[in-house]
Amino acid sequence: QLEEALRLLAEGAGVSREAIQGVGLDVPAPSSGGVIWVQANLGEDWVGTNIRDEFSQRIGLPVYMTNDGNAAAAGEYAARPDHTGGLLLVAPGTGLGGGLVLPGGTIYEGTNGLALEVGHMSVPFVEDDGSLPDCSCGLKGCAEAWVSLVALRRRLSVELAKEEWADHELNQSDDDIVQKAYRLRDFAEKDDPFAVGLFKDQGFKLGYAIADMVRLFDPGLVVIGGGLAETSFRDRYMTWVHEGFDARAWPIYQKNPL
């Protein structure tokens, strides 16, 4: 399977399999030196394992490894050859990833390769009962606990338990919570108030968090990617992101487009 993957990689790059000098690998978790340090959205057996060196040994090629947020940020920067400033990527998907490319094109990874774990910054929001939601990293109240597919499932369970949504179609379904969460996009596309409310809440909180990131890094350009940004109602989603951003951003940033 690895050989087949390398063959397809070479084919996509328009070179021979023998011409591949090394492989880039991205992982959805904090990592440095080829080692994954936090479970995040992976299994426990990934933690403390030198994925880079094991993969390199298996395929007989050098492997460069970074987290998926950094890799995506580098790709977005490369796709914009006319942009010479900094670029901040924020990617809501299963989790909430991010990456920062400095002016000139260098990825900022920090001393230990763990920088820009944007999903694990604290945000000032609480559950209906005043508690902080659990995050996949083991902490509470992280941005990822509010803005991610995992967070969407949790909020979906909470909202469906409320009396006002007792008659909602999703409450009449035998689907599990994972399947119901995937169906939410279809409902939002039909302007269903329940689904729209959940996505609007996530968009607002994402924008709120981005405002703090912009104040810290002054990147010049913010790119929002990831699965939750690929909805058919993307324009509305971005409106909610801007509402959250404007609620938190300094005026100088409110007047500059993201």
Side-chain angles (χ1 to χ4, degrees):
Q1 289 178 329
L2 285 173
E3 274 302 315
E4 177 63 10
L6 289 171
R7 185 189 67 78
L8 292 172
L9 179 65
E11 185 179 289
V15 299
S16 67
R17 160 67 178 86
E18 293 70 28
I20 297 179
Q21 300 296 309
V23 173
L25 179 67
D26 68 77
V27 291
S31 64
S32 64
V35 180
I36 291 174
W37 294 112
V38 178
Q39 182 179 346
N41 297 299
L42 296 170
E44 292 183 8
D45 55 341
W46 287 72
V47 179
T49 301
N50 195 315
I51 304 299
R52 181 191 64 193
D53 289 356
E54 288 198 17
F55 189 46
S56 178
Q57 183 178 8
R58 190 77 65 89
I59 65 176
L61 290 169
V63 173
Y64 172 79
M65 188 173 99
T66 188
N67 72 42
D68 51 358
N70 289 335
E76 293 291 348
Y77 192 89
R80 294 168 171 79
D82 295 332
H83 178 69
T84 57
L87 182 150
L88 171 68
L89 172 89
V90 181
T94 303
L96 178 59
L100 178 67
V101 181
L102 301 174
T106 301
I107 299 175
Y108 180 72
E109 296 183 283
T111 300
N112 299 300
L114 302 175
L116 272 295
E117 286 295 330
V118 301
H120 304 293
M121 61 183 283
S122 176
V123 291
F125 301 105
V126 296
E127 298 279 24
D128 295 345
D129 62 2
S131 65
L132 294 173
D134 294 327
C135 183
S136 61
C137 73
L139 299 176
K140 293 179 179 291
C142 295
E144 183 174 299
W146 291 106
V147 185
S148 63
L149 180 57
V150 173
L152 192 63
R153 293 169 186 163
R154 187 192 77 256
R155 290 302 307 167
L156 178 57
S157 296
V158 171
E159 293 300 318
L160 284 177
K162 295 180 178 179
E163 186 176 351
E164 63 182 300
W165 303 116
D167 295 330
H168 192 276
E169 184 177 334
L170 286 175
N171 258 327
Q172 316 307 316
S173 170
D174 292 330
D175 291 341
D176 61 25
I177 199 64
V178 173
Q179 294 170 312
K180 288 180 179 179
Y182 280 120
R183 291 181 61 194
L184 271 179
R185 289 189 186 184
D186 294 334
F187 281 96
E189 288 169 4
K190 298 173 185 176
D191 211 24
D192 176 77
F194 175 74
V196 168
L198 286 170
F199 282 112
K200 182 176 182 179
D201 181 70
Q202 285 217 354
F204 181 92
K205 287 171 179 171
L206 176 61
Y208 197 98
I210 289 174
D212 278 346
M213 299 177 211
V214 167
R215 189 161 38 250
L216 285 173
F217 300 113
D218 192 29
L221 178 64
V222 178
V223 178
I224 299 176
L228 287 178
E230 296 172 353
T231 63
S232 61
F233 50 93
R234 181 172 60 183
D235 290 345
R236 295 183 69 192
Y237 186 82
M238 285 303 300
T239 297
W240 302 327
V241 171
H242 275 278
E243 288 175 358
F245 181 84
D246 288 344
R248 180 66 175 170
W250 282 345
I252 187 174
Y253 291 120
Q254 292 175 357
K255 296 175 182 178
N256 284 276
L258 291 179

